[in-house]
Structure formats: structure tokens, C-alpha cells
Amino acid sequence: MLADERFELVRCHACALRYHARVLDANGLALLYGSWIDAMQIERFEAEHVPADRREPFAVGRHVVKDLLSMHALAGAPSEMRLLDFGCGDGRALRIASALGLRAVGVDPSVTRSERASDGGGAVHPTLEDALADIGGRVDAILMSEVLEHLVEPRRVLSSLVAAMRPGGVILIETPDTRGIDGPPRTFEHMRWVHPLEHVNGFTPETLERMARAVGLEPAPIMRAHATTRLRDVVRTEVGRLLARPSTSRIFVKP
């Protein structure tokens, strides 16, 4: 049945948000993330299609450390930062956060991926309410990496996350940038960004900021942290800070 459907991205005239014209219903999405997508399947896919340098553990870990250091500084450098990883997957960021001394919990609907995260020492829960009960109330920081594009009601979910943050708290949102993709994807990279079935929405820097402001968030100043003293990496980070352009990877603060 799905093979007979036609790929189509639709743009909302009111808010400019882009979304797939045809998406799975609630039962289909629950089946997709609860059973169809498992940790081993994702690892096989990444091994075949993601460049080795982007999968290398040190490179991935360095990226997470830099994000956490930036969030810690923007959140006012709390002595024990309470972190929520919403959509934590296999728990990689949770393990790094715990190693840095942060108090971290995760939320993920995938049974197999959350089991792997828990096996790695992270506390992973199926719902936001359970995670907040575990960590003891509102949090200082939230990671939301490649989650927003999967949500049927992204604004409602984002609003609930804002309510879970303390005033002055920060949230890092990462979602694919779908600028320039108005029809069927022509490259594999574009296919990953709009991914039919898995992705529901497609964001641009403008629509991401508009939604964030609508739920009470403000863009945080760009802050680059150094996770290594290697000259090449330091130069790359500083050049990135100076030449930063609008992005769908942003940190926002709750006033």
C-alpha cells in the first residue's frame, strides 16, 4: 500500500513549518519506534551509510562533551547540573554526562534502544513524567537531538519540555535542516534529512526559532567549548564560531 503513495512535502501557510503529506498514524508510529527500529538495525545502517570519521567514538564523544560544556556555562554553571536527554537512543550522551559528574536521565520510546542505554548505566524511562520523578523535579538542561522531526505534535511536546525546565535552564535542539528540499530527495543525504515514514516534520532555522519563541524560549548566545587541546580542533571550533550561520542545531534558554 505504501509503495503506491507519492512523496510530498507540504508547507503550512500560517507558520511555514514543513511536514510530510502522508504519515503513519499513532499506532503505526508506536510500532515503528517500539518494535521495527532496534539498536542493531541502526548500527547496521550507520555502518553502511555514515562515514567512518563521523562514527568514530572519540569524534562523537568530543561533540557531545562540547555541547554539554556549552550548556553548562549557559545554564549558569550549576554545581550539579540536572540533565534530561529526551530521545536518548542508546544512551551515549547519558554515559558521557554521568562521567562528567552531571545527574542525567533519559527518555526513549524504543524498547531495545532504552534497554541498551540502561545496560550502559543510564536511567532511561518511557515517559517524561517518569524521568522527572526520577530526577526529582525540574531540570537545568535538556538534550533533544534529532527528535523534533519525528513528532506529530512538536510544539506540544516542546512546550511540555519547557515546563520541565527551571527558569534560566537551557535546551539544545538538533534537527535536520531541510532548506532547499521542496520535492523528492535527490541525494542520500537529503533522504536522511526528510526520511519518509520516520520523519513527520521538516525544519529550517527560521521555523525552528519561531516555534521555540512560541513556547517561551529565547535563542542563547553562540558559545563554543573546547573538548580537546589539539590545535586543529581548537582552530576549527573558533573558525566555526566566527563564521556561524543560521542552523537547526541551536541552544535556547528559558527566561
Side-chain angles (χ1 to χ4, degrees), residues 145-174:
S145 179
E146 298 190 4
V147 174
L148 210 57
E149 66 273 14
H150 297 273
L151 302 176
V152 176
E153 298 181 89
R155 177 169 170 170
R156 180 186 63 79
V157 174
L158 189 56
S159 181
S160 68
L161 292 176
V162 173
M165 298 163 58
R166 65 161 174 83
V170 297
I171 179 171
L172 169 61
I173 303 174
E174 293 181 323

Short mmCIF file of all heavy atoms in Angstrom, two decimals, residues 145-174:
data_model
loop_
_atom_site.label_atom_id
_atom_site.label_comp_id
_atom_site.label_asym_id
_atom_site.label_seq_id
_atom_site.Cartn_x
_atom_site.Cartn_y
_atom_site.Cartn_z
N SER A 145 18.16 15.77 20.60
CA SER A 145 18.92 15.60 19.37
C SER A 145 18.18 14.70 18.39
O SER A 145 17.94 13.53 18.67
CB SER A 145 20.30 15.01 19.68
OG SER A 145 21.04 14.83 18.49
N GLU A 146 17.82 15.27 17.24
CA GLU A 146 17.14 14.56 16.17
C GLU A 146 15.88 13.85 16.67
O GLU A 146 15.68 12.65 16.46
CB GLU A 146 18.11 13.58 15.49
CG GLU A 146 19.30 14.29 14.85
CD GLU A 146 20.14 13.39 13.98
OE1 GLU A 146 19.77 12.21 13.82
OE2 GLU A 146 21.17 13.86 13.47
N VAL A 147 15.05 14.63 17.32
CA VAL A 147 13.78 14.13 17.86
C VAL A 147 12.60 14.91 17.28
O VAL A 147 11.58 14.33 16.89
CB VAL A 147 13.75 14.24 19.40
CG1 VAL A 147 12.38 13.86 19.95
CG2 VAL A 147 14.82 13.37 20.02
N LEU A 148 12.74 16.23 17.20
CA LEU A 148 11.61 17.09 16.84
C LEU A 148 10.98 16.70 15.51
O LEU A 148 9.76 16.78 15.35
CB LEU A 148 12.09 18.54 16.80
CG LEU A 148 11.08 19.65 17.14
CD1 LEU A 148 10.50 19.45 18.52
CD2 LEU A 148 11.74 21.01 17.03
N GLU A 149 11.81 16.26 14.57
CA GLU A 149 11.29 15.93 13.24
C GLU A 149 10.44 14.66 13.23
O GLU A 149 9.72 14.38 12.27
CB GLU A 149 12.45 15.77 12.24
CG GLU A 149 13.37 14.60 12.50
CD GLU A 149 14.50 14.91 13.46
OE1 GLU A 149 14.43 15.95 14.16
OE2 GLU A 149 15.45 14.12 13.52
N HIS A 150 10.49 13.88 14.32
CA HIS A 150 9.73 12.64 14.41
C HIS A 150 8.36 12.83 15.05
O HIS A 150 7.56 11.88 15.09
CB HIS A 150 10.50 11.60 15.24
CG HIS A 150 11.80 11.19 14.64
ND1 HIS A 150 11.92 10.17 13.73
CD2 HIS A 150 13.06 11.68 14.83
CE1 HIS A 150 13.19 10.03 13.38
NE2 HIS A 150 13.90 10.93 14.03
N LEU A 151 8.07 14.01 15.56
CA LEU A 151 6.89 14.20 16.40
C LEU A 151 5.69 14.70 15.61
O LEU A 151 5.79 15.62 14.81
CB LEU A 151 7.21 15.20 17.52
CG LEU A 151 8.38 14.82 18.43
CD1 LEU A 151 8.64 15.94 19.43
CD2 LEU A 151 8.11 13.50 19.14
N VAL A 152 4.54 14.10 15.88
CA VAL A 152 3.30 14.53 15.25
C VAL A 152 2.88 15.90 15.77
O VAL A 152 2.35 16.72 15.02
CB VAL A 152 2.18 13.49 15.49
CG1 VAL A 152 0.85 13.97 14.92
CG2 VAL A 152 2.57 12.14 14.87
N GLU A 153 3.12 16.15 17.05
CA GLU A 153 2.78 17.43 17.66
C GLU A 153 4.04 18.05 18.29
O GLU A 153 4.18 18.09 19.51
CB GLU A 153 1.70 17.26 18.71
CG GLU A 153 0.38 16.72 18.18
CD GLU A 153 -0.66 16.60 19.26
OE1 GLU A 153 -1.40 17.59 19.48
OE2 GLU A 153 -0.73 15.54 19.90
N PRO A 154 4.95 18.54 17.48
CA PRO A 154 6.23 19.02 18.02
C PRO A 154 6.08 20.20 18.97
O PRO A 154 6.78 20.28 19.98
CB PRO A 154 7.02 19.41 16.77
CG PRO A 154 5.98 19.65 15.71
CD PRO A 154 4.89 18.68 16.02
N ARG A 155 5.15 21.11 18.68
CA ARG A 155 5.00 22.27 19.56
C ARG A 155 4.48 21.86 20.93
O ARG A 155 4.96 22.37 21.96
CB ARG A 155 4.07 23.30 18.92
CG ARG A 155 3.81 24.51 19.80
CD ARG A 155 3.12 25.62 19.06
NE ARG A 155 2.68 26.67 19.97
CZ ARG A 155 2.22 27.85 19.58
NH1 ARG A 155 2.15 28.14 18.29
NH2 ARG A 155 1.83 28.74 20.46
N ARG A 156 3.54 20.93 20.98
CA ARG A 156 3.00 20.49 22.26
C ARG A 156 4.09 19.82 23.09
O ARG A 156 4.22 20.08 24.30
CB ARG A 156 1.84 19.52 22.04
CG ARG A 156 1.22 19.02 23.36
CD ARG A 156 0.17 17.97 23.11
NE ARG A 156 0.72 16.78 22.47
CZ ARG A 156 1.38 15.83 23.15
NH1 ARG A 156 1.59 15.95 24.45
NH2 ARG A 156 1.83 14.77 22.51
N VAL A 157 4.88 18.96 22.46
CA VAL A 157 5.95 18.27 23.18
C VAL A 157 7.00 19.26 23.66
O VAL A 157 7.47 19.20 24.80
CB VAL A 157 6.59 17.18 22.30
CG1 VAL A 157 7.80 16.56 23.00
CG2 VAL A 157 5.56 16.10 21.97
N LEU A 158 7.37 20.19 22.79
CA LEU A 158 8.37 21.19 23.17
C LEU A 158 7.87 22.04 24.33
O LEU A 158 8.63 22.37 25.25
CB LEU A 158 8.72 22.07 21.97
CG LEU A 158 9.90 23.02 22.13
CD1 LEU A 158 11.16 22.26 22.51
CD2 LEU A 158 10.13 23.80 20.84
N SER A 159 6.59 22.37 24.32
CA SER A 159 6.01 23.14 25.42
C SER A 159 6.09 22.38 26.74
O SER A 159 6.38 22.96 27.79
CB SER A 159 4.56 23.49 25.08
OG SER A 159 3.98 24.26 26.12
N SER A 160 5.86 21.07 26.69
CA SER A 160 5.94 20.26 27.91
C SER A 160 7.37 20.20 28.43
O SER A 160 7.61 20.16 29.65
CB SER A 160 5.39 18.86 27.66
OG SER A 160 6.23 18.13 26.78
N LEU A 161 8.34 20.22 27.52
CA LEU A 161 9.74 20.22 27.94
C LEU A 161 10.12 21.55 28.57
O LEU A 161 10.87 21.60 29.55
CB LEU A 161 10.65 19.91 26.75
CG LEU A 161 10.56 18.49 26.19
CD1 LEU A 161 11.44 18.34 24.96
CD2 LEU A 161 10.95 17.46 27.25
N VAL A 162 9.60 22.63 28.02
CA VAL A 162 9.87 23.95 28.61
C VAL A 162 9.32 24.01 30.03
O VAL A 162 9.96 24.55 30.94
CB VAL A 162 9.25 25.07 27.74
CG1 VAL A 162 9.37 26.42 28.43
CG2 VAL A 162 9.94 25.12 26.38
N ALA A 163 8.16 23.43 30.24
CA ALA A 163 7.57 23.40 31.59
C ALA A 163 8.43 22.59 32.55
O ALA A 163 8.39 22.82 33.77
CB ALA A 163 6.16 22.82 31.53
N ALA A 164 9.21 21.64 32.01
CA ALA A 164 10.06 20.80 32.86
C ALA A 164 11.39 21.46 33.19
O ALA A 164 12.18 20.91 33.97
CB ALA A 164 10.31 19.46 32.16
N MET A 165 11.67 22.64 32.60
CA MET A 165 12.92 23.34 32.83
C MET A 165 12.75 24.41 33.91
O MET A 165 11.71 25.05 34.00
CB MET A 165 13.40 24.02 31.54
CG MET A 165 13.70 23.07 30.39
SD MET A 165 13.78 23.93 28.79
CE MET A 165 15.08 25.14 29.10
N ARG A 166 13.78 24.62 34.68
CA ARG A 166 13.76 25.73 35.62
C ARG A 166 14.00 27.03 34.86
O ARG A 166 14.59 27.03 33.77
CB ARG A 166 14.84 25.55 36.68
CG ARG A 166 16.26 25.60 36.13
CD ARG A 166 17.27 25.89 37.22
NE ARG A 166 18.65 25.80 36.75
CZ ARG A 166 19.30 26.78 36.11
NH1 ARG A 166 18.68 27.92 35.83
NH2 ARG A 166 20.56 26.62 35.75
N PRO A 167 13.57 28.18 35.40
CA PRO A 167 13.93 29.46 34.77
C PRO A 167 15.45 29.59 34.67
O PRO A 167 16.17 29.29 35.62
CB PRO A 167 13.34 30.49 35.73
CG PRO A 167 12.21 29.78 36.40
CD PRO A 167 12.68 28.35 36.56
N GLY A 168 15.93 29.99 33.52
CA GLY A 168 17.36 30.06 33.29
C GLY A 168 17.94 28.78 32.72
O GLY A 168 19.13 28.74 32.37
N GLY A 169 17.11 27.75 32.63
CA GLY A 169 17.56 26.48 32.06
C GLY A 169 17.72 26.58 30.55
O GLY A 169 17.23 27.51 29.91
N VAL A 170 18.41 25.60 29.98
CA VAL A 170 18.69 25.63 28.55
C VAL A 170 18.28 24.31 27.90
O VAL A 170 18.20 23.27 28.56
CB VAL A 170 20.19 25.89 28.27
CG1 VAL A 170 20.60 27.25 28.78
CG2 VAL A 170 21.07 24.80 28.90
N ILE A 171 18.02 24.38 26.61
CA ILE A 171 17.70 23.19 25.83
C ILE A 171 18.45 23.25 24.51
O ILE A 171 18.46 24.29 23.84
CB ILE A 171 16.18 23.06 25.60
CG1 ILE A 171 15.87 21.80 24.76
CG2 ILE A 171 15.60 24.30 24.95
CD1 ILE A 171 14.38 21.48 24.68
N LEU A 172 19.13 22.17 24.18
CA LEU A 172 19.80 22.05 22.89
C LEU A 172 18.89 21.25 21.96
O LEU A 172 18.56 20.10 22.25
CB LEU A 172 21.14 21.33 23.04
CG LEU A 172 21.82 20.90 21.73
CD1 LEU A 172 22.14 22.10 20.85
CD2 LEU A 172 23.09 20.09 22.01
N ILE A 173 18.50 21.87 20.86
CA ILE A 173 17.66 21.21 19.86
C ILE A 173 18.48 21.01 18.60
O ILE A 173 19.05 21.97 18.07
CB ILE A 173 16.40 22.04 19.54
CG1 ILE A 173 15.59 22.30 20.81
CG2 ILE A 173 15.55 21.32 18.50
CD1 ILE A 173 14.40 23.23 20.59
N GLU A 174 18.55 19.78 18.15
CA GLU A 174 19.19 19.45 16.88
C GLU A 174 18.18 18.72 16.01
O GLU A 174 17.59 17.73 16.43
CB GLU A 174 20.42 18.56 17.10
CG GLU A 174 21.55 19.25 17.83
CD GLU A 174 22.76 18.35 18.01
OE1 GLU A 174 22.57 17.14 18.25
OE2 GLU A 174 23.89 18.86 17.93
#
